[in-house]
Amino acid sequence: MTTPATTAPRAPQGTGVSGGEPDLWCTYAAVRTLAWLDRTDSVSDADGTAAYLTGRRNADGGYAWSRGMLSDAWATFYCTQGLRDLGRPVPGLDATSRWLDSTWSGDAYAMLPGQAPDVWATHFSARSAAELCGGRVPDPDRLLDWLSRLQCAEGGLSWSPEDARRGKADVRACYYGVLAWRAATGQASDATPPWDVPALTDWLRARQATSGGFHFGPAAEVPCLWATYRAVGALGALGETPRDPDACRDWIMGLRGPTGAFVRWEGYDVEDVWASFCAVGTLKALGAPLAPVADAVTARISELGCAGGGYTYREPSAAADALSTAAAVLSADPGSPRPEGVRWLEGCQLPNEGGVMYMPGRGSEVRCTLWALAAGAFAEDPAARRRIAGWLAGLQNADGGFGYWEGRGSDMVSTAAAVETAALLGGPDGLGLDLRGVRTFIDSCRVSPDSHDAHDARLSGVSEASRGEPYAHGNVPGGEPGLRPALQAQRVRMLLGPGFAEPAEVSEAVRTLLARHRVRGGGYAGEGHRVPDLLSTYEAVLAADRAGLGLDTAHLRAFTDRVRDAGGTAWSPLAPGSGGPLADCLGTLLARRLTAGPGVLPVLALS
Amino acid sequence: MTTTVPSLEQIHDRTRSVLTGRIGDAFTAVPSDADLQQALGERYDSLTAMECISAVESEFGIEVDFVADDVRHWFSSVERMVRFTHERLEDTVALGLRS
């Protein structure tokens, strides 16, 4: 059943902040779309775009969302697929293959080593392993069994077997599951899908609205191009078609904007990169001719290229994002508020998912929602806050934790962001969250000698010394311990309250962690106590304030003086220049804390 | 027992050897007065810089304070690393911290 949209699907009003920088997902989508149209000769600054993709490669062979971050399956697929579409060599496939193996859980793939598997990661990594590295998944039989358990009673596929038991089917999960099956079986013509295919087909077909577009699932508010591409793509990979292909094609062609490129929803006013990606992908899956849209889409994508290579979602000067905008609002002089930025953030709540998106038009993310609320968005809008609360409750995974967005495996930073978001909405009690589950997930990330047996394979990279440290936590179960996940775990315990954690024990844990990672010259280090960094220092001051511990302002000032200058704030004393708007925001807020009392720092989660 | 601080030339040669081991062949043709970030680009990012600093510390038995010492300045070229190391060794000997 379709419910009326509660939010008009229009682009945000107000004024957002754009760095004019390329984005990996946008770059992948732009290059992929041009490849489908056989127009890769139109890629703007092909050398720069290839360098942008190659530059995300880490020494472990995987690729990261941005330089300096950990490798993950999503970035690895996008970077390598983008390079292939550009006709460029993909370096060091052996190392990439070994990194992919490190994310294998035994049944399926996880986004990061140690994380629980989900169908997003399994799709990306199965395809990378088979189509890029020319190999096979480590254990095809186990994978097929895992994939078979994604089917819900109603016929659709879900993000994980646990979510399938909870009935959380989604057309995106269907697409990822079916494509992972095809990759795992080498697309053999005689391979039999491990599902009740008629039930799956019926469920997918039932997602088509009378208008011709598709919904993500029964509860989605409006049909959109993203859902339509995933549904039609899944049906196509199964050798099936939508219930009404002609209506689908007509609906897609009705979503062309003034330039002839596409918008994601009816009534939306920005022709962005992923709308064109989804539209062209759907037309291709339907077997419809691409020539009628090729010129317009190519021309529109050429407007989205960034200086130096890569793409963003719309014209770079107008491609604002939620984190940069929230950062500008938060770091503005308190006497000079930026209501136009808050208004822009509030416009990032769009149909189908109640959270705030990183960039308007893609999926809601828990960290962006936290930043937006911290910046004051939705303060006077109870209906919008209720939508966020409902979205948040539906985001919680069966293991009790939260991932970046719907269906993603749990991690500490997202779980802490979700609980802090609930606190800003008046919770975490009363929002329908499973608080005991939250604590269970937090506890599962604790790194100790006792946890070695439970996570034997995943802890192989963790040193004995780290395992023996009290209160050590990783970002995921079995992950490398660090100061930030350890303090995030303690923050969550504080928020859960005395019924879940003893306040005295939490304060002692924070005190111990801060002492262990305090850098003699100033600031706090993520690992050990040698090189301080901005994120760890911000987290340390936040946790100290929450725990009621005194702040050594001279020690903090020594660090902020080192990383801040007229040009901005660096991520660490070793990093060059300003780290951009987010680093500048954290630096400004830390400097503000030096002259103000505890409680002035907003909770901001990055990694 | 007296301690002799290595000459600037000796520190220079040992520093280049240590950095070659960390950065690889790309470093060989980089002049000692060149800005490493400009010469090596992303090969000399903050992670590599940290590894190089640790290697120099280990080679000469000195300790770098990442906040009090201006590491971005002193570890931006081989020449500056040599001067930093030489002065730190002289200070160490003058303060009698090493026999």
Side-chain angles (χ1 to χ4, degrees), chain B:
Chain B
M1 187 170 173
T2 58
T3 301
T4 305
V5 174
S7 68
L8 286 168
E9 291 73 22
Q10 289 171 321
I11 295 174
H12 174 268
D13 292 345
R14 287 167 64 183
T15 299
R16 285 205 69 98
S17 174
V18 161
L19 296 190
T20 301
R22 292 287 159 178
I23 301 172
D25 293 341
F27 173 68
T28 306
V30 177
S32 293
D33 62 350
D35 183 285
L36 291 169
Q37 218 283 320
Q38 284 186 12
L40 295 167
E42 291 184 341
R43 282 174 180 268
Y44 196 70
D45 59 12
S46 58
L47 185 61
T48 306
M50 190 178 74
E51 290 175 351
C52 290
I53 292 169
S54 297
V56 169
E57 285 180 310
S58 177
E59 173 70 16
F60 296 103
I62 61 174
E63 186 174 343
V64 175
D65 186 322
F66 285 85
V67 178
D69 299 322
D70 189 350
V71 286
R72 289 254 327 139
H73 171 78
W74 287 114
F75 284 81
S76 62
S77 73
V78 175
E79 276 190 353
R80 286 177 174 170
M81 289 184 208
V82 171
R83 280 171 51 204
F84 176 89
T85 304
H86 189 257
E87 289 172 13
R88 185 57 52 94
L89 289 172
E90 283 191 332
D91 290 348
T92 303
V93 170
L95 293 170
L97 297 177
R98 198 187 320 198
S99 60

Side-chain angles (χ1 to χ4, degrees), chain A residues 175-273:
Chain A
Y175 175 86
Y176 296 134
V178 171
L179 270 287
W181 158 70
R182 288 210 342 181
T185 54
Q187 306 193 36
S189 58
D190 60 345
T192 303
W195 304 289
D196 178 344
V197 174
L200 173 55
T201 302
D202 287 348
W203 188 88
L204 281 164
R205 285 177 171 158
R207 304 285 70 77
Q208 188 173 19
T210 52
S211 62
F214 283 74
H215 292 86
F216 285 133
E221 295 159 343
V222 296
C224 71
L225 269 175
W226 188 8
T228 302
Y229 172 46
R230 294 316 186 193
V232 175
L235 287 167
L238 291 167
E240 305 288 350
T241 58
R243 178 174 45 78
D244 190 342
D246 291 343
C248 183
R249 188 191 59 236
D250 292 346
W251 179 79
I252 290 168
M253 296 303 283
L255 291 179
R256 301 181 78 184
T259 76
F262 293 88
V263 299
R264 185 175 152 188
W265 299 274
E266 190 176 350
Y268 198 60
D269 50 4
V270 175
E271 297 158 272
D272 61 34
V273 69

Side-chain angles (χ1 to χ4, degrees), chain A residues 534 560 563-565 567-571 576-580 583-588:
Chain A
L534 184 64
T560 55
V563 295
R564 294 185 82 215
D565 62 23
T569 304
W571 289 112
S578 164
D584 293 343
C585 172
L586 298 185
T588 298

Side-chain angles (χ1 to χ4, degrees), chain A residues 297-607:
Chain A
V297 168
T298 302
R300 177 59 179 158
I301 287 177
S302 72
E303 296 174 345
L304 315 184
C306 298
Y311 291 85
T312 186
Y313 68 101
R314 56 174 304 177
E315 302 89 333
S317 61
D321 69 80
L323 294 182
S324 298
T325 302
V329 172
L330 286 162
S331 55
D333 186 327
S336 305
R338 300 186 57 158
E340 77 286 356
V342 174
R343 199 159 61 249
W344 190 89
L345 288 166
E346 290 170 341
C348 288
Q349 189 183 44
L350 290 165
N352 296 330
E353 297 180 298
V356 169
M357 302 163 163
Y358 174 55
M359 290 170 165
R362 60 198 241 185
S364 297
E365 298 187 26
V366 66
R367 293 174 311 154
C368 300
T369 305
L370 175 63
W371 278 67
L373 286 168
F378 312 111
E380 309 297 332
D381 190 345
R385 293 165 70 87
R386 280 196 297 275
R387 283 193 71 214
I388 296 174
W391 168 76
L392 200 64
L395 207 62
Q396 188 166 17
N397 288 324
D399 62 10
F402 291 77
Y404 276 16
W405 59 79
E406 188 174 9
R408 287 281 300 267
S410 304
D411 61 72
M412 183 69 79
V413 68
S414 301
T415 302
V419 176
E420 295 283 1
T421 299
L424 291 176
L425 292 170
D429 289 334
L431 295 187
L433 303 188
D434 172 10
L435 301 186
R436 196 168 299 282
V438 170
R439 189 183 65 176
T440 298
F441 177 74
I442 295 296
D443 289 346
S444 76
C445 294
R446 186 157 180 173
V447 181
S448 70
D450 294 340
S451 66
H452 185 243
D453 292 340
H455 307 295
D456 191 34
R458 289 180 282 171
L459 273 173
S460 58
V462 180
S463 69
E464 282 288 348
S466 294
R467 271 183 248 152
E469 291 179 351
Y471 310 117
H473 287 72
N475 188 43
V476 295
E480 192 72 28
L483 176 62
R484 293 204 304 280
L487 291 178
Q488 285 158 2
Q490 299 307 330
R491 268 203 286 116
V492 171
R493 290 191 171 102
M494 281 186 253
L495 284 173
L496 291 179
F500 292 91
E502 287 297 325
E505 185 193 347
V506 174
S507 291
E508 176 57 24
V510 173
R511 187 192 314 277
T512 301
L513 289 162
L514 295 183
R516 186 190 310 147
H517 293 277
R518 178 186 167 96
V519 175
R520 191 179 54 191
Y524 293 85
E527 297 173 20
H529 52 81
R530 292 212 60 217
V531 190
D533 66 87
L534 184 64
L535 281 172
S536 297
T537 302
Y538 192 92
E539 186 70 54
V541 176
L542 186 63
D545 283 355
R546 284 279 181 88
L549 305 177
L551 180 66
D552 180 348
T553 53
H555 177 256
L556 176 60
R557 192 182 305 279
F559 174 77
T560 55
D561 285 350
R562 170 59 67 213
V563 295
R564 294 185 82 215
D565 62 23
T569 304
W571 289 112
S572 87
L574 283 171
S578 164
L582 305 189
D584 293 343
C585 172
L586 298 185
T588 298
L589 294 172
L590 279 176
R592 194 176 291 167
R593 171 63 182 86
L594 282 167
T595 58
V600 71
L601 280 190
V603 180
L604 303 172
L606 265 180
S607 63

